[in-house]
């Protein structure tokens, strides 16, 4: 899934890419900071995540996963 996310992020023009480029997760020193940065990061990459959910490659990957993974 992360590989497909990176492929979709590479397709976005550089001026429209979210801060952090093709990475989905970043490290933070504290839990408080990580929650804030995670919310900001989600807001910035939401359009990419929406593209990922309707992507045929992602749907095929998800179909091969266990029931618990599909539910999440």
């Amino acid at each position: 899934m992360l590989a497909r996310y990176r492929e979709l992020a590479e397709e976005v023009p550089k001026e429209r890419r979210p801060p952090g480029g093709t990475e989905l997760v970043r490290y933070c020193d504290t839990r408080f900071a990580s929650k804030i940065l995670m919310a900001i990061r989600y807001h910035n990459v939401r359009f990419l995540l929406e593209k990922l959910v309707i992507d045929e490659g992602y749907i095929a990957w998800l179909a091969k996963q266990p029931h618990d993974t599909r539910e999440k």
Side-chain angles (χ1 to χ4, degrees):
M1 180 175 96
L2 182 58
R4 187 63 191 141
Y5 171 84
R6 287 179 177 154
E7 289 173 9
L8 289 173
E10 286 291 329
E11 294 173 5
V12 175
K14 288 191 179 195
E15 62 274 356
R16 211 170 150 234
R17 281 189 194 159
T22 60
E23 294 302 313
L24 185 57
V25 181
R26 294 212 146 192
Y27 172 76
C28 298
D29 290 330
T30 66
R31 275 188 280 164
F32 177 75
S34 67
K35 289 180 182 180
I36 292 172
L37 291 176
M38 190 182 337
I40 292 169
R41 184 80 178 139
Y42 173 76
H43 178 73
N44 289 338
V45 300
R46 183 174 176 199
F47 74 98
L48 279 173
L49 295 174
E50 289 172 350
K51 287 175 72 172
L52 180 65
V53 171
I54 60 173
D55 182 64
E56 290 180 20
Y58 174 75
I59 293 170
W61 173 83
L62 191 60
K64 297 175 187 174
Q65 299 305 308
H67 179 69
D68 295 343
T69 303
R70 287 191 305 258
E71 287 295 315
K72 289 178 185 177

